[in-house]
Amino acid sequence: MSYPVDRRGFLRTAGAGAAALTLGGAVASCGSGSSGGTSETVTLTWWDYFTLDNFQPGMNRLIKDIEADVPNVRIERRTFPFADLDRQITLGAISGDLPDIAIVDNVAMNTLGGSDLLADLTDRVKEWGQADQYYKGPWDGCQIGGKTLGIPNNSNCLALYYNTRVLESAGVAPPTTWDELASAAERLTTGDRFGLALSAIKTEEGVFQFLPFLWQAGGDLDTFATDGATALSFLDDLIAKGSLSEQCVGWTQQDVNTRFLDQRAALQINGPWQIPTLKKADFEWNVVALPRGKAAATCLGGENWVLMADSEHLDKAWEVLEYTQRPSALVPYLVSFGNLPARKDMGDKGTWASDPALRLFLSQLPLARPRRYGPRYADASQAVVEAEQAVLAGSASPSAAARTAAGKIDKALGGR
């Protein structure tokens, strides 16, 4: 899909939002370090949003391996909160301070892909010759306007975790449909334990968790007035029955997992990146596909590697990116993060080949839908999460919130 947004237009659009932000600390300048002869060390600036403690061992190992195995390179890493990375790149586009390399949410390609900020990797990928090793969904997400603007970092999706003992004690089977989910959540709610936990926070995390309900209702963003109302009504009913805490409007996916670990939720919707932490739980748990409505669906998540077009060290940055795709680097990295490979040829090389929970997530990837809606997806996403927050907080009915959101979505997506 072509996104005809030139860089000047991108900066003009981004400027209004960025003007309200301050840089706070100094942003690392792009490409610090020498760019001289091949024997001189090049420092590459690297941005990502993996701030949680459980991500650090895997990330630190990857960077250590890069610095050991890629000649004459040093990585200077900076992390941002999940919701802030795109805005920091926007600020960098305005100020001229950008990283050489970044790991961005795959949905960020909707906007960044049409901005001329990202380096065109098409010729490098062609020479590399490994494009056909990637699953179609993740790879297609890096193709913008006929160019390859990124390389998939990993893939993930959402599924339903359950506390085995709690369900067995209540005589509840893992739910497979919306009706079964509503019934199970109600029966599993007792005392300070809710039946279900999910994230409805006012960021893309909340949208990521809501969209499967929209798709399971049989619709998409272009039918939000009707199918969005159905999905919102289902979640609203869960809160009305006390099966889902209204505090979910402030929960990140990490917060949701914490409540599941503390056994304050019998069921949770979450991704495979939580598995390394869940393996330390003092109770048994398992995972099944998201319960279906009219259709089965889950949301494709994951990140992409991107290089910045203005980097003074594109050759070295590409060398690093290529290194990250080698099995010796990629498999331990993905295992440590609890993520799934975006490469078909990695399917039998990591813990996902034998771990039942990871295999469940892997089996759901063919159902996982990408969020590819064009350069103004952020506006549509904002409308979705505002509608969800309004309904779950009790300030609007599902039908009214859906109609309001549908108008904003249609305007953002050009009447789609």
Side-chain angles (χ1 to χ4, degrees):
M1 182 182 297
S2 176
Y3 304 151
V5 181
D6 63 19
R7 181 170 184 168
R8 182 175 300 171
F10 173 77
L11 297 181
R12 191 164 52 239
T13 301
L21 300 172
T22 59
L23 283 173
V27 179
S29 61
C30 177
S32 57
S34 172
S35 59
T38 58
S39 63
E40 297 182 16
T41 297
V42 170
T43 297
L44 298 178
T45 55
W46 162 325
W47 291 1
D48 65 64
Y49 51 60
F50 297 107
T51 60
L52 299 177
D53 290 344
N54 57 297
F55 293 135
Q56 304 320 308
M59 188 64 81
N60 291 338
R61 171 179 172 169
L62 176 62
I63 291 175
K64 182 178 179 180
D65 288 347
I66 289 170
E67 293 180 333
D69 296 336
V70 177
N72 308 319
V73 69
R74 187 175 75 84
I75 302 298
E76 183 177 288
R77 179 186 176 217
R78 185 176 180 187
T79 61
F80 301 88
F82 173 82
D84 289 347
L85 179 58
D86 290 358
R87 288 187 292 173
Q88 291 294 339
I89 291 176
T90 297
L91 284 171
I94 296 169
S95 67
D97 293 322
L98 286 166
D100 297 287
I101 186 168
I103 306 174
V104 301
D105 189 16
N106 59 10
V107 76
M109 303 300 285
N110 279 302
T111 50
L112 295 179
S115 65
D116 285 345
L117 291 174
L118 306 185
D120 182 358
L121 306 178
T122 306
D123 292 341
R124 297 176 190 272
V125 166
K126 184 176 181 180
E127 182 178 354
W128 186 38
Q130 296 192 30
D132 59 352
Q133 296 300 327
Y134 292 82
Y135 290 112
K136 178 176 173 27
W139 186 257
D140 285 352
C142 293
Q143 311 306 303
I144 309 295
K147 301 176 182 179
T148 300
L149 299 182
I151 299 294
N153 176 287
N154 67 80
S155 293
N156 61 62
C157 60
L158 294 169
L160 183 73
Y161 290 89
Y162 64 92
N163 184 313
T164 304
R165 182 188 60 79
V166 169
L167 265 68
E168 289 178 349
S169 297
V172 173
T176 60
T177 67
W178 276 18
D179 287 343
E180 291 176 2
L181 176 60
S183 176
E186 187 173 12
R187 291 174 61 184
L188 295 168
T189 298
T190 179
D192 63 352
R193 185 188 71 210
F194 287 91
L196 175 66
L198 56 80
S199 172
I201 196 169
K202 199 175 181 180
T203 68
E204 189 61 28
E205 281 188 83
V207 179
F208 180 63
Q209 293 224 338
F210 176 80
L211 285 177
F213 288 101
L214 173 64
W215 297 328
Q216 290 161 9
D220 206 339
L221 291 183
D222 58 356
T223 62
F224 201 86
T226 53
D227 296 306
T230 299
L232 290 169
S233 292
F234 179 75
L235 296 178
D236 190 35
D237 286 344
L238 292 176
I239 286 183
K241 293 176 180 178
S243 305
L244 172 66
S245 172
E246 63 182 14
Q247 293 181 11
C248 68
V249 297
W251 291 348
T252 66
Q253 293 174 109
Q254 186 64 27
D255 294 331
V256 171
N257 193 55
T258 297
R259 279 152 181 79
F260 184 74
L261 280 169
D262 292 344
Q263 301 193 65
R264 288 181 286 162
L267 305 165
Q268 71 156 335
I269 293 175
N270 229 312
W273 59 86
Q274 306 291 7
I275 290 176
T277 301
L278 286 169
K279 286 183 179 295
K280 302 173 185 177
D282 58 2
F283 61 90
E284 292 186 3
W285 54 270
N286 209 331
V287 62
V288 292
L290 291 180
R292 61 180 296 145
K294 291 181 180 178
T298 186
C299 196
L300 179 67
E303 285 79 33
N304 295 330
W305 291 99
V306 295
L307 307 183
M308 296 298 158
D310 287 347
S311 170
E312 297 176 2
H313 306 299
L314 275 177
D315 289 342
K316 185 60 69 174
W318 169 255
E319 194 175 345
V320 167
L321 196 158
E322 186 178 349
Y323 175 84
T324 67
Q325 301 305 291
R326 298 179 187 177
S328 60
L330 184 57
V331 170
Y333 169 80
L334 293 175
V335 168
S336 70
F337 273 57
N339 280 329
L340 303 174
R343 295 180 61 113
K344 296 177 288 188
D345 57 348
M346 298 285 181
D348 61 351
K349 298 185 184 301
T351 54
W352 48 83
S354 57
D355 184 289
L358 284 171
R359 288 190 64 81
L360 182 282
F361 280 100
L362 198 61
S363 75
Q364 295 303 294
L365 284 182
L367 292 174
R369 300 192 191 184
R371 290 158 287 170
R372 295 189 67 200
Y373 294 101
R376 293 194 62 192
Y377 168 72
D379 293 336
S381 173
Q382 183 71 13
V384 169
V385 78
E386 287 175 354
E388 184 179 26
Q389 292 246 318
V391 170
L392 300 190
S395 62
S397 70
S399 58
R403 286 195 302 271
T404 298
K408 296 177 181 178
I409 291 168
D410 288 346
K411 181 178 180 181
L413 302 185
R416 283 180 43 163

